[in-house]
Amino acid sequence: MIFANPECRTPARGLTRLRGWFARTASVGALALILAPAAPGQAAPRGTDDFSTTIRPFLAQHCIKCHGEKKQAGKLALHQLDGSLASEKARETWARVAEKLWLGEMPPEDEQRPSPHASGRVVNWLAAEFARAGHKLTPPPAMELPGGGNRVSHEALFAAKVTPGTPPPATAARLWRISPQIYDELLRDGVGKNVKSVTQPFSMLTGEGFKDYAGAFVVDEPTTGLLMRNADSIVAAQTRFTVEDGQFKRAGFPREFNPLLDTNAPPTEAQMRTAIVQQFKLVLRREPTADELARFTAFMRKNIADAGQVAGARATLTAVLLLPEAIFRSELGAGEPDTHGRRLLAPRELAYALSFALTDAPPKGELQSALDKGQFVASRESAKREVRRMLADPKLGKPRVLRFFREFFGYHHATEVFKDDKENKEHDARVLVEDTDQLVLHILDADKDVLRELLTTTKSFVSHKNAAEQKKKRAEALAKFETDKAKNPEKFKNKTFNPQGREVFRAYGLDDFPDVQPVQLPATQRAGILTQPSWLVAFSMNFDNHPITRGKWIRERLLGGTVPDLPITVDAQLPNAPEQTLRQRLEVTKQEYCWQCHQRMNPLGLPFESFDHFGRFRSTERVQDKPATEANVDKQGKSRGPVFKEVALDTRGSVAATGDPRLEGDVSDPLALVRQLAGSERVRQVFVRHAFRYWLGRNETLADAPVLQAADRAYVENGGSFRALVISLLSSDAFLYRVNAGTVTASNPASKKVQP
Ligand code: HEC
Ligand code: HEC
């Protein structure tokens, strides 16, 4: 591990905090989702909609009843609005209206709801009007982080007809702070050799869901401080040397720095240039431009004059590590705007974006050399070609692909759930997670019907890393036990075989480590990731199952629905009633107030009662036998401990309120549930939406409808090919085009202090 002390901070959540740094340095809502096509101050094309023919009738039909002359719910009146956004008061009111429509929160749920198209149309009209008035309408903060993605209407996104007024797909120009993994890789792969005391300066989003959103992070002052300290440590390690008897000695890397450090002779201009070029190559993986080289050489000369040879050289090498390019992925878009004001990414931006989409490192090999020679052209075709090539290259590691599946399914959280060894000494969460990783990779390798396979396969890897070795050890130990027992039956009378090591296969219901991987599990017990012990453990409590979070996961990740957060005022406790099944204890959530949320989760999670909280299949559930426990007393009437009994399992559940009646209905058990989900078009499209979020680093908007539909089509037409899905996303307009690039200034306070 490179980092002595990986720092983990909670993400900034509020919009203001998210925006903080950028808002001050870049005059663009670089983090905002775009719905408004035009930059502030820029004339927006007038849409076909106007206030009197579209907007006023919409308000009259859906809102005025409660926000009109007679009644002003929430102290809000909308009947006097005339469509003008000239006054600040009007804009404030309209922004509140847009927020409610965006989130689908008005009119209230029990009222007749307008169609998503109708609401989307009003929002689009407002976005354009705000832009015309020189302002920007931004979506509510709740929509900017991964959890907000499902707020966008699924029906509108996948409808054949695009919502009127929706601009063509593009992503806001942005500087995307590099991920901890990219920083890690930068250190591992060159500059960081022998570096001690470097602290990971970056954090990721915590909790469930995608971790690396382009808009989720700022480089605040503490981070800047850490980056500067790290840069100092890195350069200190890069320039380590000793002097013995006046002799300059240095075993370090890179050699090009030697002349800077040997004070017996000051470095020549050429030697300074060579050292600077080398540092650019190590840090930014490119050579400096002629201009950069001239500036950095002059800077080094000056630093040496001011601070002495070694200190001056070090300060200059440090400055390279603090260039914005070393900290941000630049996605501003270069070139002339098209008729919609969109700009294509520059060749270097695109090559880096593609490389960072699949790996944690900048372009390598062919792509790098094409870039360096100026032969890489940014286009949809080149994006497709490069993604195809990288995906097909077996030598190129693509950690971002597996990471998507981990973050989507969340099974890797199994290692974070404490389990009592006394209850099951065979449990080993790390192995369970590795097994599911392996299963995902196996399915990706075949690249056929990927989502359906993930959800329904009866195959599994079981302790795959060292099953053969463990099997052998176990067999030997067992043989020895049998021989010893035969020799001395009296001594072994009451002993049972007690193998060393954890019998992880028991979690899967097997009797031994399997000979072949993947192994076929009973089709009556398992189907896909949601029945893998890793997933079941990840969504369990310490001593029991957790049907609520399992159901929540399905509601959000497969059905594309939302569940409001657990209010802090609720005392979320189940009754302490050990004689009841978990299902019975969950009955408390059927009170009307609780049920409005819990009906969206519990019926989806309860079928997984087929498994215990270690992920072991079971056909009965153990509860306390109350009368037997009460009777279990010694002569003095003191309890001798609880007595348990097995009761029949109830694994029924239901799928409801999904927006797609075709996939709704009651299910008898988890297998019926996952098969029903796996066959659904809706579920497939929700999966595509999540892939979009992960690879675009932001949530989808109505404007992205064509991109999502094309990705879904690519997946289906290629037989459920995940590769086709990724290629489609990484060559989409949303990936290739940026808007509002003109107003971004790429300056960075982290580098100001030391930049030449
Ligand atoms: C059946 C009555 C009803 C209808 C119809 C209705 N609302 Fe509301 N609205 C309410 C109530 C009650 C509140 C206050 C409580 C709340 O915020 O939930 C409210 C609050 C609001 C607020 C928040 C005010 C604030 O505090 O910022 C906005 C904005 C809003 N409504 C917009 C709309 C829009 C736009 C429509 C039409 C698309 C609409 N409402 C339709 C009942 C209604
Ligand atoms: C506004 C929605 C909402 C309401 C109302 C609500 N809950 Fe929940 N509840 C949730 C969500 C969401 C979770 C899952 C939290 C998580 O992800 O761990 C949850 C989790 C729980 C849990 C599990 C807590 C744990 O240990 O993880 C219990 C128990 C629970 N709720 C009981 C109740 C009861 C009882 C009521 C009514 C008095 C209630 N809830 C009302 C949304 C709600």
Side-chain angles (χ1 to χ4, degrees):
M1 190 63 200
I2 287 170
F3 302 117
N5 172 23
E7 194 202 36
C8 204
R9 272 174 291 115
T10 34
R13 284 212 173 255
L15 186 63
T16 18
R17 281 169 69 201
L18 290 182
R19 290 252 165 86
W21 185 77
F22 273 97
R24 272 179 276 123
T25 53
S27 65
V28 66
L31 314 174
L33 309 173
I34 37 127
L35 259 170
Q42 206 173 310
R46 238 199 196 292
T48 46
D49 291 328
D50 74 19
F51 183 76
S52 55
T53 58
T54 312
I55 311 305
R56 198 201 299 273
F58 175 91
L59 297 179
Q61 188 183 345
H62 298 290
C63 317
I64 299 300
K65 179 169 117 185
C66 306
H67 300 288
E69 218 164 344
K70 291 207 195 97
K71 192 173 159 192
Q72 281 129 37
K75 297 209 181 78
L76 179 72
L78 300 172
H79 64 288
Q80 288 160 326
L81 288 173
D82 60 2
S84 157
L85 275 76
S87 76
E88 194 173 327
K89 179 139 195 325
R91 286 196 299 277
E92 198 226 320
T93 308
W94 279 119
R96 284 160 75 192
V97 167
E99 170 167 347
K100 291 290 173 198
L101 295 177
W102 236 313
L103 298 176
E105 285 177 356
M106 276 288 145
E109 228 167 89
D110 42 11
E111 289 289 307
Q112 173 96 38
R113 283 281 177 93
S115 79
H117 272 307
S119 296
R121 209 169 166 150
V122 177
V123 175
N124 286 337
W125 176 82
L126 276 171
E129 289 301 308
F130 266 76
R132 280 163 49 80
H135 294 270
K136 194 167 169 76
L137 183 66
T138 49
M143 291 188 71
E144 296 212 333
L145 287 170
N150 287 348
R151 300 280 198 160
V152 183
S153 155
H154 193 89
E155 286 68 29
L157 282 175
F158 285 89
K161 236 177 85 217
V162 175
T163 300
T166 309
T171 293
R174 59 192 182 183
L175 294 174
W176 186 342
R177 197 215 63 196
I178 64 170
S179 66
Q181 290 90 351
I182 296 175
Y183 192 77
D184 207 345
E185 185 73 25
L186 172 76
L187 292 182
R188 196 172 17 234
D189 199 35
V191 295
K193 281 183 189 139
N194 310 317
V195 182
K196 306 249 158 40
S197 69
V198 167
T199 308
Q200 174 60 261
F202 303 134
S203 57
M204 291 285 239
L205 294 173
T206 53
E208 294 295 313
F210 299 132
K211 303 281 175 271
D212 189 14
Y213 255 33
F217 308 101
V218 290
V219 176
D220 53 14
E221 268 171 47
T223 313
T224 308
L226 269 178
L227 281 165
M228 293 175 79
R229 252 178 288 150
N230 285 354
D232 283 340
S233 307
I234 292 166
V235 171
Q238 285 182 314
T239 57
R240 204 168 284 140
F241 70 93
T242 54
V243 179
E244 283 172 30
D245 305 329
Q247 279 294 87
F248 174 77
K249 280 222 167 113
R250 172 168 148 81
F253 160 91
R255 261 180 305 123
E256 290 81 354
F257 294 175
N258 294 359
L260 304 179
L261 308 167
D262 186 351
T263 48
N264 292 317
T268 64
E269 284 282 312
Q271 285 169 332
M272 287 191 215
R273 278 202 296 273
T274 309
I276 290 163
V277 168
Q278 182 61 21
Q279 187 70 331
F280 264 77
K281 281 201 207 154
L282 288 173
V283 178
L284 306 178
R285 329 277 171 124
R286 67 172 176 89
E287 298 204 359
T289 61
D291 177 52
E292 283 168 332
L293 189 55
R295 278 194 297 132
F296 271 82
T297 317
F299 186 50
M300 188 179 281
R301 223 183 297 119
K302 181 177 179 301
N303 286 339
I304 289 178
D306 291 350
Q309 180 174 334
V310 174
R314 280 183 175 152
T316 318
L317 296 172
T318 307
V320 179
L321 275 156
L322 294 170
L323 284 173
E325 194 180 328
I327 299 160
F328 293 98
R329 308 164 50 176
S330 155
E331 297 188 354
L332 306 179
E336 286 306 300
D338 69 4
T339 49
H340 307 287
R342 306 181 301 173
R343 296 164 192 265
L344 199 59
L345 289 178
R348 176 167 292 273
E349 288 177 337
L350 177 59
Y352 274 58
L354 292 172
S355 196
F356 284 136
L358 301 175
T359 78
D360 291 323
K364 290 193 172 130
E366 273 177 57
L367 182 53
Q368 186 191 26
S369 59
L371 250 189
D372 289 346
K373 288 186 208 132
Q375 290 166 348
F376 181 72
V377 180
S379 70
R380 193 182 316 283
E381 278 322 301
S382 67
K384 273 191 189 157
R385 187 189 64 227
E386 288 308 322
V387 176
R388 218 174 261 135
R389 189 186 56 72
M390 287 193 274
L391 287 174
D393 181 354
K395 289 209 286 293
L396 181 74
K398 289 166 278 281
R400 290 253 312 147
V401 176
L402 183 60
R403 206 174 293 149
F404 165 73
F405 288 96
R406 279 185 163 209
E407 291 180 10
F408 177 72
F409 283 107
Y411 59 83
H412 60 311
H413 292 299
T415 53
E416 294 154 26
V417 181
F418 167 81
K419 296 284 177 193
D420 192 350
D421 239 21
K422 281 203 234 48
E423 227 187 310
N424 172 10
K425 72 180 181 57
E426 316 302 351
H427 179 64
D428 189 339
R430 203 179 34 84
V431 173
L432 299 178
V433 171
E434 284 170 2
D435 283 342
T436 305
D437 279 348
Q438 207 57 31
L439 184 63
V440 170
L441 293 173
H442 178 75
I443 289 170
L444 286 179
D445 220 30
D447 200 31
K448 257 206 169 112
D449 252 334
V450 167
L451 179 62
R452 189 194 293 265
E453 279 296 305
L454 288 168
L455 290 176
T456 60
T457 184
T458 53
K459 292 197 186 112
S460 181
F461 288 79
V462 175
S463 203
H464 78 284
K465 262 198 175 161
N466 51 8
E469 189 192 320
Q470 293 204 49
K471 186 184 169 84
K472 196 165 141 249
K473 268 197 199 151
R474 185 171 186 277
E476 283 165 6
L478 183 60
K480 184 168 181 307
F481 176 81
E482 296 294 351
T483 339
D484 292 351
K485 188 174 172 181
K487 274 193 212 146
N488 196 347
E490 201 42 42
K491 191 176 153 202
F492 279 79
K493 213 169 64 187
N494 294 320
K495 285 195 179 161
T496 50
F497 174 57
N498 184 16
Q500 299 296 307
R502 294 180 187 248
E503 300 196 321
V504 179
F505 53 80
R506 303 241 177 252
Y508 299 87
L510 303 182
D511 303 325
D512 199 348
F513 292 103
D515 291 315
V516 279
Q517 305 268 10
V519 63
Q520 191 75 41
L521 299 177
T524 50
Q525 298 185 0
R526 309 271 173 174
I529 308 267
L530 307 198
T531 64
Q532 286 266 295
S534 64
W535 191 86
L536 294 163
V537 171
F539 296 89
S540 74
M541 296 181 276
N542 302 132
F543 298 101
D544 217 332
N545 284 331
H546 206 329
I548 299 171
T549 52
R550 289 172 184 175
K552 183 167 185 273
W553 185 92
I554 293 177
R555 175 67 61 190
E556 292 175 348
R557 305 295 170 85
L558 297 181
L559 299 175
T562 56
V563 187
D565 283 342
L566 175 64
I568 42 169
T569 49
V570 171
D571 180 23
Q573 295 276 349
L574 298 181
N576 181 14
E579 73 286 0
Q580 289 184 359
T581 64
L582 184 54
R583 179 185 286 264
Q584 287 165 338
R585 292 164 62 213
L586 274 169
E587 288 283 314
V588 288
T589 61
K590 288 206 167 153
Q591 308 165 60
E592 195 182 343
Y593 169 68
C594 318
W595 197 236
Q596 54 172 326
C597 295
H598 280 268
Q599 66 179 333
R600 304 188 202 190
M601 305 183 278
N602 303 18
L604 294 166
L606 278 166
F608 296 92
E609 289 305 287
S610 284
F611 305 92
D612 70 12
H613 70 103
F614 289 100
R616 294 176 296 197
F617 186 80
R618 61 182 182 180
S619 43
T620 54
E621 182 173 353
R622 220 163 98 100
V623 296
Q624 222 182 73
D625 186 334
K626 212 171 177 186
T629 299
E630 278 163 8
N632 188 28
V633 289
D634 62 16
K635 288 199 191 96
Q636 281 78 43
K638 234 180 90 192
S639 170
R640 284 192 294 203
V643 179
F644 294 94
K645 64 175 181 186
E646 299 288 331
V647 296
L649 266 183
D650 182 350
T651 60
R652 287 170 306 161
S654 68
V655 186
T658 64
D660 182 357
R662 287 170 299 176
L663 87 113
E664 295 182 359
D666 293 341
V667 292
S668 55
D669 58 51
L671 307 182
L673 172 64
V674 293
R675 287 183 189 129
Q676 186 161 321
L677 296 171
S680 152
E681 176 185 81
R682 168 83 170 214
V683 171
R684 185 190 75 224
Q685 291 168 344
V686 171
F687 177 69
V688 171
R689 291 177 66 167
H690 282 85
F692 176 98
R693 286 173 211 168
Y694 182 80
W695 268 289
L696 271 297
R698 65 172 175 85
N699 288 340
E700 63 276 28
T701 72
L702 280 184
D704 298 309
V707 174
L708 291 159
Q709 293 181 21
D712 184 43
R713 248 188 337 268
Y715 177 80
V716 173
E717 285 170 4
N718 289 282
S721 160
F722 190 70
R723 288 182 196 198
L725 168 61
V726 171
I727 293 169
S728 175
L729 288 173
L730 297 184
S731 60
S732 67
D733 281 12
F735 195 81
L736 296 170
Y737 286 99
R738 295 296 172 271
V739 285
N740 293 352
T743 47
V744 174
T745 47
S747 69
N748 168 21
S751 60
K752 274 227 178 90
K753 297 177 192 148
V754 285
Q755 212 179 337

